[in-house]
Amino acid sequence: MSSARDLVYGELRRRLMAGAFLPGQRLREEHIASELSVSRTPVRNAIERLAADGLVKRDGRRGTVVLGWLDRDIDEAFELRLLLEPYAARAAAARATPEQMDELERINDAMRVAVESDDPDRVERVQQHNNCFHHALIDAAQSARVRALVEHLLDMPIIIGSFYFYGREDMLASVEHHRQIIAALRARDPACAEAAMRLHLAATHLLFRNHRKTAGGPAPGRAAGPDAGA
């Protein structure tokens, strides 16, 4: 059973990912605890995890404030990934070693197992495996220039946390996209690998935008108060 800390963390992370809080908005522990019907301790623990994730920061004067991610920031990150990662997949189809392809398959299998589990940390494990998969693919491209350009995009907190929007079927679709990419690598088919990665990222971007739009963000043109709770 999920702990109160995990439940609060998951809910706050989902709201942060959805844009329900404005950049610079202060998170007030007492308001969040009251709304979620928990004590302040799990709220405080959840906020510490969110700070480690890079989604909020501690401000000595104001307490905890939200680090903002505008829609245009997210769209730009995905658009840059769409330019770079399909190229990396194409290069990996030509350069990846059998061991690197086996590692990609091992990571994707672990991701599928995490998706199908009922563990309370399931989403966190899924997103970790997904991040490892994309980093491993960049390694398989065997290009220091590609790695330097892409790694920062893969590690953006708002991108890493996208699985907090997803249902089980969405996650399984991502696993299947990865399987298709691996199959293209094993076939040494650069064009197929590039197309499979492009489809995967385009589908991910669309899913992310749709969930962010409907998952609790503020209505267009309306700002929440600077010290709103949750």
Side-chain angles (χ1 to χ4, degrees):
M1 180 179 295
S2 298
S3 67
R5 178 184 60 186
D6 291 333
L7 290 171
V8 172
Y9 170 76
E11 176 61 15
L12 289 180
R13 174 133 201 176
R14 184 191 67 80
R15 295 188 190 188
L16 285 161
M17 298 288 294
F21 304 108
L22 297 178
Q25 182 175 337
R26 183 158 64 106
L27 295 184
R28 300 183 64 178
E29 293 178 5
E30 63 272 22
H31 287 184
I32 296 170
S34 176
E35 182 185 353
L36 300 182
S37 300
V38 297
S39 70
R40 292 181 63 174
T41 298
V43 175
R44 187 175 302 112
N45 290 335
I47 287 176
E48 288 174 357
R49 291 173 66 184
L50 293 168
D53 291 341
L55 292 171
V56 301
K57 70 174 181 179
R58 295 287 192 180
D59 184 317
R61 183 170 51 85
R62 297 186 57 209
T64 301
V65 296
V66 174
L67 295 174
W69 296 92
L70 301 176
D71 287 345
R72 69 185 182 194
D73 298 325
I74 298 166
D75 289 342
E76 183 178 63
F78 273 108
E79 287 163 11
L80 288 170
R81 290 183 67 188
L82 273 163
L83 289 172
L84 296 167
E85 285 189 74
Y87 174 84
R90 185 181 189 93
R95 302 172 185 167
T97 66
E99 292 78 15
Q100 287 174 320
M101 289 186 277
D102 289 345
E103 176 66 4
L104 284 164
E105 191 147 13
R106 184 197 65 76
I107 294 169
N108 201 45
D109 286 343
M111 181 174 169
R112 177 185 52 77
V113 170
V115 171
E116 293 174 344
S117 79
D118 293 318
D119 295 340
D121 64 346
R122 175 174 66 105
V123 176
E124 187 172 354
R125 287 168 51 210
V126 169
Q127 70 180 20
Q128 288 172 350
H129 292 313
N130 180 73
N131 186 256
C132 286
F133 180 90
H134 284 269
H135 275 284
L137 182 68
I138 298 305
D139 289 341
Q142 299 187 30
S143 169
R145 283 177 291 275
V146 171
R147 181 183 297 110
L149 290 167
V150 178
E151 281 193 326
H152 173 68
L153 296 171
L154 295 180
D155 292 333
M156 289 174 62
I158 197 75
I159 300 297
I160 290 177
S162 60
F163 281 90
Y164 277 85
F165 282 152
Y166 295 178
R168 191 182 298 264
E169 291 305 312
D170 298 325
M171 296 182 192
L172 288 174
S174 188
V175 170
E176 175 60 19
H177 290 164
H178 291 174
R179 189 194 65 78
Q180 293 167 1
I181 293 167
I182 296 167
L185 300 187
R186 291 198 183 280
R188 297 297 185 186
D189 188 331
C192 185
E194 179 179 1
M197 178 59 80
R198 192 176 304 280
L199 173 64
H200 173 47
L201 292 176
T204 300
H205 187 195
L206 179 62
L207 185 65
F208 190 102
R209 282 167 46 189
N210 287 343
H211 279 303
R212 184 171 165 88
K213 188 182 300 182
T214 60
R222 180 171 59 84
D227 294 329

